[in-house]
Amino acid sequence: MTKYDNSNIFAKILRSEIPCKKVYEDDDILCFYDINPIADTHVLVIPKREYRSFDDFVTTAEPEYISLFFNKVAMIAKKLGLIESGYRIISNHGLNANQEVPHFHVHLIGGENLGGIKYK
Ligand code: 5GP
């Protein structure tokens, strides 16, 4: 498997080499608005540690860190006021999912009715 490429855009955002519109940050994660939103609310949640994708994250990270990460995604959904109205989380892994940025991230999407899941 290819190793983590620290020249990816999210690694540059984490190093503050590229700006982002921040929603939340702590020692473990960063959350910021997607530059090309597909819904009224579209943020990205990323770990501050180096994982290439969802698969890399869940198969190599410590269970405590995985749990902490997803609890923080839920905390951000609450902070954005999405609990009552509902939201969707998506994580693209690899070629068929057209993963664009090889740093594990969760898309957190809501703020309007998202319809069903479509891929064609
Ligand atoms: P992926 O296809 O890897 O799951 O999604 C990558 C996401 O990152 C896309 O939704 C894209 O709009 C977003 N993105 C790409 N470059 C940047 C950037 O420089 N800043 C921000 N905020 N989002 C980006």
Side-chain angles (χ1 to χ4, degrees):
M1 199 182 275
T2 53
K3 77 187 228 325
Y4 181 83
D5 173 10
N6 67 10
S7 70
N8 75 74
I9 288 168
F10 294 170
K12 289 179 181 171
I13 287 175
L14 283 172
R15 292 194 297 267
S16 301
E17 292 167 13
I18 291 179
C20 70
K21 198 174 161 201
K22 211 173 280 185
V23 173
Y24 175 84
E25 181 174 21
D26 64 20
D27 289 345
D28 303 301
I29 67 155
L30 174 65
C31 175
F32 51 95
Y33 285 96
D34 195 293
I35 204 168
N36 189 18
I38 61 167
D40 282 353
T41 303
H42 183 174
V43 303
L44 301 164
V45 189
I46 69 174
K48 289 196 170 177
R49 301 182 195 173
E50 298 179 350
Y51 302 99
R52 292 164 309 224
S53 73
F54 175 80
D55 187 73
D56 186 28
F57 183 61
V58 298
T59 59
T60 67
E62 291 161 9
E64 294 75 17
Y65 190 61
I66 296 171
S67 172
L68 174 150
F69 179 84
F70 284 104
N71 275 294
K72 290 191 179 186
V73 173
M75 179 271 291
I76 290 165
K78 185 172 182 192
K79 177 181 164 65
L80 291 170
L82 300 176
I83 303 296
E84 285 297 315
S85 54
Y87 62 88
R88 180 173 292 156
I89 59 172
I90 298 172
S91 188
N92 293 314
H93 163 75
L95 286 177
N96 274 355
N98 291 291
Q99 182 183 355
E100 185 187 322
V101 182
H103 180 109
F104 166 56
H105 52 281
V106 166
H107 297 254
L108 172 56
I109 301 162
E112 63 179 307
N113 191 309
L114 301 170
I117 294 178
K118 306 177 197 74
Y119 65 94
K120 282 180 181 170

